[in-house]
Amino acid sequence: MSGTVTITPLHGIPEVRPGDDLTDVVDSGLRSSGVTLADGDVVVVSSKVASKALGLVTDDPDKERVVAGESDGVVAERISGERLTRIVTAKAGPVMAAAGVDGSNTGERGGLLLLPHDPDGVCRTLHTSLTLRHGVRLGVVLSDTAGRPWRVGQVDFALGAHGVRVLDDLRGAVDADGRDLSVTARALVDEIAAAADLVKGKVLGVPVAVVRGLADVVLDDASDGGLNGGLDGARGLVRTGPDDWFALGRVEAVRAALGVAPGTALAARVGIPPAGPDTRTGAVARAVRLALAADDEATADVGDESVTLGADGPYALGRLVARLEAALSCDGLEGRPLAPAADGCSVVVQVRAAGLLSRP
């Protein structure tokens, strides 16, 4: 895979409508662009045209409700003004914002487009049809766009794939210096999807591209999952179970440990954190609601720099203080309890930015 790779956009594809055949859609772009598919080509199709062709559109104006219906679980959630954004495990497979529900580039029809729940299956169907029609060995990738933890900006990734190696597992091989490789496994289909987006993208109106020069990663037998390191399609690249170190956002992990899981009605009542900076008053009040969520009898008198907690006895009070300290950490704050009242039923907790409280 060290040779030249070319990426050719397919222009001239008309607006895709429900019921259109994806193979015909690709062929219209091939004809308009004067491109003939060759052995080893990889056809990369934007998920949006697949969603349009499959009629995966809703007129429900409540996007939050639509996203919930397309999600298997919430990873993180933030409020920005009046807008709620959720990072979720989408029914389509990956973890992404709003389950991929999208209202841009929907054509005259409008509405909200949904992702197919079986994107690898969409790729299998298109792969079968294209190979029969063109008589060449092909790979098919269905691409979509998502943000990434720790990095600004969005990038295309493989939502679905068929007929192409999804993973280049180099573990057990050696590098150029002869050293053993123990962790390197390249996500080939994600690299292909991202490369194709250089000539596609939302503003260019080009939903399909042909990547040429990667014949070595196109499978001779598309059903041979063994060449994919045991992975069958792009869904196999999604980390799940013990391999998922980031199943929840940092704030959501703390809140969930305190019994307030993201995406629940209780999370909304406690208050969903804002996407940007919050006022001290807002942050402390939200932390107090989070701390009190497990005790209907507890009380709190809230100020910007201190909170007076009340509970039914020393044990309940100590538990409440510990919950408040954890809750404050969600907003970069920390609490320091002073000596409790003589009856052990109330205490003042000083609140400061993390790291600023004096310690004995």
Side-chain angles (χ1 to χ4, degrees):
M1 294 184 292
S2 60
T4 299
V5 176
T6 62
I7 309 165
T8 304
L10 299 189
H11 295 281
I13 294 176
E15 178 64 29
V16 177
R17 292 177 170 79
D20 285 350
D21 188 310
L22 270 182
T23 307
D24 292 338
V25 170
V26 173
D27 278 352
S28 69
L30 292 169
R31 288 191 301 271
S32 297
S33 304
V35 175
T36 300
L37 290 178
D39 184 81
D41 282 350
V42 180
V43 178
V44 183
V45 180
S46 295
S47 63
K48 189 155 292 185
V49 296
S51 295
K52 290 180 179 180
L54 293 169
L56 300 177
V57 61
T58 177
D59 292 316
D60 188 338
D62 189 338
K63 185 175 180 179
E64 184 178 334
R65 180 168 58 215
V66 174
V67 171
E70 294 297 305
S71 305
D72 283 332
V74 179
V75 173
E77 53 189 355
R78 296 290 185 274
I79 287 285
S80 181
E82 298 297 320
R83 180 180 178 183
L84 171 64
T85 297
R86 283 188 169 126
I87 308 299
V88 303
T89 302
K91 290 187 182 298
V95 174
M96 59 196 311
V101 174
D102 195 354
S104 65
N105 288 334
T106 56
E108 297 178 358
R109 167 72 170 73
L112 295 171
L113 286 174
L114 315 178
L115 294 179
H117 291 180
D118 183 13
D120 289 326
V122 173
C123 290
R124 282 193 297 272
T125 300
L126 180 58
H127 177 274
T128 298
S129 184
L130 284 174
T131 53
L132 287 174
R133 187 173 295 186
H134 294 275
V136 293
R137 187 174 55 107
L138 298 170
V140 173
V141 173
L142 191 66
S143 68
D144 200 58
T145 307
R148 303 155 297 161
W150 312 296
R151 302 286 287 183
V152 173
Q154 291 76 41
V155 67
D156 263 31
F157 70 100
L159 181 69
H162 192 68
V164 60
R165 287 167 56 196
V166 300
L167 194 69
D168 185 18
D169 192 347
L170 299 177
R171 291 171 296 182
V174 296
D175 65 12
D177 298 319
R179 298 186 181 92
D180 291 337
L181 295 173
S182 58
V183 298
T184 304
R186 295 169 56 205
L188 285 174
V189 286
D190 285 344
E191 292 181 337
I192 292 170
D197 191 53
L198 293 172
V199 300
K200 297 195 294 93
K202 289 187 175 183
V203 299
L204 299 177
V206 178
V208 184
V210 175
V211 180
R212 183 165 294 172
L214 296 175
D216 287 348
V217 307
V218 175
L219 302 178
D220 292 325
D221 182 356
S223 65
D224 188 359
L227 293 177
N228 274 329
L231 301 179
D232 183 17
R235 185 178 286 265
L237 293 178
V238 179
R239 290 187 185 274
T240 59
D243 289 334
D244 185 4
W245 294 4
F246 313 104
L248 290 173
R250 179 188 67 84
V251 170
E252 285 71 23
V254 174
R255 287 162 63 98
L258 295 176
V260 181
T264 62
L266 180 56
R269 289 198 299 273
V270 165
I272 296 171
D278 197 5
T279 64
R280 173 71 67 85
T281 300
V284 174
R286 189 171 52 254
V288 168
R289 290 193 297 272
L290 178 56
L292 268 59
D295 189 344
D296 293 335
E297 303 300 322
T299 63
D301 183 12
V302 183
D304 284 351
E305 296 186 357
S306 67
V307 177
T308 302
L309 297 175
D312 185 19
Y315 174 80
L317 184 64
R319 182 170 179 264
L320 187 59
V321 169
R323 287 179 61 86
L324 179 60
E325 289 179 311
L328 287 168
S329 73
C330 293
D331 283 280
L333 302 173
E334 62 181 11
R336 182 186 180 190
L338 302 181
D343 62 1
C345 291
S346 66
V347 67
V348 174
V349 179
Q350 294 179 330
V351 178
R352 295 288 189 275
L356 295 184
L357 283 177
S358 58
R359 297 294 180 185

